[in-house]
Amino acid sequence: MMPDSNQTFFVPATFILNGIPGTEESQVWTSIPFCLIYIVALLGNSLLLFIIGTERSLHEPMYLFLSMLAAADLLLSTTIVPKLLAVFWFKAAEISFAACLTQMFFVNVTFIAESAILLAMAFDRYVAICHPLRYSTVLTKPVIGKMGLAVVIRSFCMAFPVVFLVKQLKFCWTNLLSHTYCQYTTISQLACDNIRVNFFYGVAMAILTIILDAVLIAVSYLLILRAVVRLPSNNARLKALRTCSSHICVILMFYTPSFFSPSANQYGHIIPGYILNLLANLHVLLPPMLNPIIYGVTTKEILKRVISMFYCCCRRSHLLR
């Protein structure tokens, strides 16, 4: 958008989060699924972190990466949902410019971090299946620690310039955001400045993070598939594929909306805006809820520990009676 010399530019002290336009009369009901998603995400990911942290037998690379994913899921959902519920329940739509930038920064950081963690988990499965004899020497705890640090540094370095790019923008029309949280593209589109740099940085960030990670994950699974086909028995092949099943489900759930969301926005004149808005919210909120469920159901060690904890709780409540 090119600036008009007759316009008065300003930097808004606050933004107004408009929630999901078109659902104003039913926002209380709309908030219920989001509240349930958040509760399940909090409980599921906290339980995962507790189980992995207290069970020494689970202090292995696969579960350490899973604990990183659970921590990122907690941060992502907590960054978005409390303010979303405040908008829906208490009409607390105002958010300061600084708070909006902070929320936008953490959403980008955690989303990029999740992508990198899924890539690290794909590498873990690649080493486990293609080079099983070297698994314990390649993926040591110091190496996993360095990989975790690399995830944080990359996410921070990619997301931090976004804050400066938005701070440089000037606004002249409105401070009304038609969304439930502060999105980089949504804020940029409100500006009267030329946002070409913002647009190209957003594209570069997507290519260097989400798309690059997805390509590397696809390559790792092609190598895994080639190794699985060469295994001597059907049982060995099924066992190898079973160890990847939960990770594949999480990958599809994370990346599929990431690739379809931009194309869906191109059809905004056909698809109602409130549906696109709902999809944008579910895109970032469903994975934190479903990830612990998928791993809890498909990972025998975690499922066994959950059942054991549930049995102990039931037994204690029975004894207290």
Side-chain angles (χ1 to χ4, degrees), residues 38-98:
Y38 184 49
I39 291 170
V40 173
L42 277 181
L43 293 176
N45 288 292
S46 299
L47 184 61
L48 261 185
L49 287 170
F50 176 77
I51 290 172
I52 295 171
T54 56
E55 190 69 35
R56 294 189 63 84
S57 63
L58 298 182
H59 292 180
E60 297 177 2
M62 173 182 165
Y63 300 106
L64 293 176
F65 288 130
L66 180 54
S67 65
M68 293 181 197
L69 185 65
D73 282 339
L74 279 174
L75 181 58
L76 180 60
S77 54
T78 302
T79 300
I80 294 173
V81 180
K83 183 59 182 176
L84 179 152
L85 294 178
V87 172
F88 284 171
W89 290 347
F90 309 114
K91 309 299 181 185
E94 283 197 7
I95 182 170
S96 70
F97 186 70

Side-chain angles (χ1 to χ4, degrees), residues 7 26 35 40 48 65 73 100 137 184 192 206 211 213 246 312:
Q7 292 294 336
S26 59
C35 184
V40 173
L48 261 185
F65 288 130
D73 282 339
C100 194
T137 57
Y184 173 55
C192 293
I211 294 175
D213 292 347
S246 53
C312 289

Side-chain angles (χ1 to χ4, degrees), residues 228-249:
V228 168
V229 169
R230 293 177 178 176
L231 291 174
S233 67
N234 286 331
N235 285 337
R237 295 189 196 108
L238 288 173
K239 185 177 179 181
L241 290 173
R242 201 176 295 120
T243 63
C244 300
S245 60
S246 53
H247 186 235
I248 291 171
C249 289

Side-chain angles (χ1 to χ4, degrees), residues 129-143:
I129 293 172
C130 299
H131 304 283
L133 298 178
R134 297 174 55 194
Y135 184 76
S136 58
T137 57
V138 172
L139 285 168
T140 61
K141 286 185 179 178
V143 169

Side-chain angles (χ1 to χ4, degrees), residues 141-160:
K141 286 185 179 178
V143 169
I144 294 169
K146 290 175 183 176
M147 291 172 72
L149 182 61
V151 167
V152 173
I153 292 173
R154 187 189 79 152
S155 304
F156 181 87
C157 290
M158 292 302 299
F160 200 64

Side-chain angles (χ1 to χ4, degrees), residues 22-291:
T23 65
E24 287 82 4
E25 294 182 1
S26 59
Q27 282 192 345
V28 173
W29 296 105
T30 307
S31 69
I32 294 174
F34 287 113
C35 184
L36 293 175
I37 287 171
Y38 184 49
I39 291 170
V40 173
L42 277 181
L43 293 176
N45 288 292
S46 299
L47 184 61
L48 261 185
L49 287 170
F50 176 77
I51 290 172
I52 295 171
T54 56
E55 190 69 35
R56 294 189 63 84
S57 63
L58 298 182
H59 292 180
E60 297 177 2
M62 173 182 165
Y63 300 106
L64 293 176
F65 288 130
L66 180 54
S67 65
M68 293 181 197
L69 185 65
D73 282 339
L74 279 174
L75 181 58
L76 180 60
S77 54
T78 302
T79 300
I80 294 173
V81 180
K83 183 59 182 176
L84 179 152
L85 294 178
V87 172
F88 284 171
W89 290 347
F90 309 114
K91 309 299 181 185
E94 283 197 7
I95 182 170
S96 70
F97 186 70
C100 194
L101 292 184
T102 302
Q103 186 187 54
M104 178 191 69
F105 171 74
F106 278 107
V107 168
N108 284 314
V109 164
T110 49
F111 202 72
I112 293 169
E114 287 210 12
S115 179
I117 293 166
L118 291 176
L119 175 59
M121 295 171 85
F123 178 70
D124 168 77
R125 291 300 85 202
Y126 164 75
V127 177
I129 293 172
C130 299
H131 304 283
L133 298 178
R134 297 174 55 194
Y135 184 76
S136 58
T137 57
V138 172
L139 285 168
T140 61
K141 286 185 179 178
V143 169
I144 294 169
K146 290 175 183 176
M147 291 172 72
L149 182 61
V151 167
V152 173
I153 292 173
R154 187 189 79 152
S155 304
F156 181 87
C157 290
M158 292 302 299
F160 200 64
V162 167
V163 176
F164 284 98
L165 287 172
V166 172
K167 285 189 74 173
Q168 300 304 313
L169 294 176
K170 295 181 178 66
F171 302 83
C172 58
W173 299 109
T174 180
N175 63 342
L176 183 65
L177 294 173
S178 298
H179 215 292
T180 55
Y181 64 93
C182 295
Q183 265 190 337
Y184 173 55
T185 52
T186 309
I187 298 173
S188 298
Q189 287 167 0
L190 286 183
C192 293
D193 276 344
N194 188 328
I195 60 169
R196 190 175 300 167
V197 173
N198 301 65
F199 171 76
F200 283 118
Y201 185 78
V203 172
M205 184 169 63
I207 291 172
L208 294 174
T209 56
I210 306 298
I211 294 175
L212 178 61
D213 292 347
V215 169
L216 292 175
I217 289 171
V219 170
S220 69
Y221 269 99
L222 286 174
L223 295 173
I224 288 170
L225 190 59
R226 186 180 68 174
V228 168
V229 169
R230 293 177 178 176
L231 291 174
S233 67
N234 286 331
N235 285 337
R237 295 189 196 108
L238 288 173
K239 185 177 179 181
L241 290 173
R242 201 176 295 120
T243 63
C244 300
S245 60
S246 53
H247 186 235
I248 291 171
C249 289
V250 169
I251 286 170
L252 292 174
M253 188 173 58
F254 181 86
Y255 285 105
T256 302
S258 298
F259 290 118
F260 277 102
S261 289
S263 58
N265 287 325
Q266 299 300 317
Y267 298 97
H269 59 289
I270 300 173
I271 304 172
Y274 69 90
I275 292 181
L276 291 175
N277 205 310
L278 278 171
L279 291 175
N281 280 282
L282 294 176
H283 174 205
V284 292
L285 294 178
L286 278 181
M289 179 189 75
L290 294 177
N291 287 348

